[in-house]
Amino acid sequence: MSTKVRTADTRERILTAACEVIADIGFEKIRMRMVAERAGVSTALLHYHFDTREKLFTEAMTHSFANTAVDVERDAESAPAAVILARIVRNLLPSDPQLHQDWKLWQELWVRALRDETTRVFAVDLYAQLHSWVSDAVRRGIATGEFTPTDVDALSTLVLSLCDGYGIRLMLRDPTITLDMVLAAVWRHVSSALGLPEAVPTE
C-alpha cells in the first residue's frame, strides 16, 4: 500500500470514528484521545492530521455530507430524476441508522453555530451545499423534460425547511408522526411543484 493510500485510509478511519464519537457523546464532551482510540490510531497521529477539535469537527461534518451525497448520486445519469430527488429527500431525513447518526452531528452543529461565529459561517456554507444538491437534481429533471419548470431555488429552500422541521420531530420520536407520513408530506409539495404523481418514487 502506498503512503498516499495509507494516509487517505487513516484520515477516513479518523473521520468515521469522529462522527461516531460526536454522535454518541456530543462535541462539548469529546476528547481527541477518544477519537484516536475509536479509530485505532495514536493520539499523536490524530493530531498530525487534525490539530484541533474544531478542525476535526468541521472535517467530520463535511465527510458525513460528502459520503451521503456520493451514495445518493451514484447513478444520477441513468436513473429517473424523480427517483434521485426522492432519494435525496430520504437522505435529508433520519431515515436509517447511519442518517440518524448524521442527524445527531447536524444537531451538534446547530447548537455550536449559535455560540461560535466560525461554526455559524461553516453551517451556512453546508446549507448552501445542501441547497445546491437539491436544486441541481431539480434542474436536471427540468432539463430532461421529466419535471414541470418551477422556481427551483424556492422549492429547494422549502424542501430543506420541511426536512429540517420534520426531521427534528422524528429524532424526538414524536409518536404523532412516522417516516412514511413525513416522506408523503414533503413529496406532496415536490410533486405539486414539478407535475409528478403524489406517490413517493421507489428504487
Side-chain angles (χ1 to χ4, degrees):
M1 185 183 295
S2 69
T3 301
K4 185 176 181 179
V5 172
R6 281 199 303 271
T7 299
D9 178 69
T10 299
R11 284 181 64 86
E12 174 74 21
R13 284 192 289 127
I14 290 172
L15 290 172
T16 298
C19 290
E20 293 172 356
V21 175
I22 293 168
D24 285 348
I25 67 172
F27 176 75
E28 296 304 325
K29 294 181 180 178
I30 196 175
R31 299 292 178 268
M32 299 293 264
R33 172 183 51 78
M34 299 173 182
V35 177
E37 290 175 354
R38 182 77 64 98
V41 302
S42 67
T43 304
L45 183 57
L46 174 60
H47 279 284
Y48 171 78
H49 288 281
F50 306 98
D51 53 359
T52 66
R53 286 195 317 154
E54 288 71 19
K55 184 176 181 180
L56 179 61
F57 179 64
T58 57
E59 289 281 348
M61 288 295 307
T62 302
H63 172 78
S64 170
F65 170 68
N67 279 355
T68 300
V70 167
D71 178 60
V72 170
E73 297 278 358
R74 61 186 180 276
D75 55 356
E77 299 306 317
S78 58
V83 169
I84 298 298
L85 187 56
R87 197 185 291 165
I88 289 173
V89 170
R90 286 189 183 90
N91 278 269
L92 289 171
L93 297 164
S95 54
D96 64 30
Q98 181 59 52
L99 291 166
H100 192 273
Q101 175 181 287
D102 290 348
W103 256 81
K104 288 183 178 180
L105 298 182
W106 277 99
Q107 290 173 311
E108 291 291 325
L109 178 68
W110 292 336
V111 171
R112 184 162 176 75
L114 294 175
R115 303 188 180 100
D116 179 77
E117 177 62 15
T118 300
T119 305
R120 185 195 67 78
V121 172
F122 172 68
V124 169
D125 181 64
L126 272 186
Y127 265 104
Q129 293 181 53
L130 287 175
H131 188 278
S132 294
W133 192 29
V134 177
S135 61
D136 287 351
V138 174
R139 288 192 177 96
R140 201 158 54 223
I142 292 173
T144 60
E146 296 175 67
F147 298 163
T148 300
T150 191
D151 185 330
V152 176
D153 287 332
L155 178 61
S156 300
T157 297
L158 178 62
V159 167
L160 292 180
S161 299
L162 288 171
C163 288
D164 275 352
Y166 279 123
I168 290 170
R169 293 178 67 186
L170 288 171
M171 290 294 290
L172 293 173
R173 299 193 299 276
D174 185 333
T176 65
I177 64 171
T178 65
L179 177 61
D180 286 342
M181 289 168 57
V182 168
L183 286 171
V186 175
W187 194 255
R188 273 196 298 273
H189 292 278
V190 172
S191 62
S192 176
L194 299 178
L196 298 171
E198 280 199 10
V200 183
T202 57
E203 296 293 327

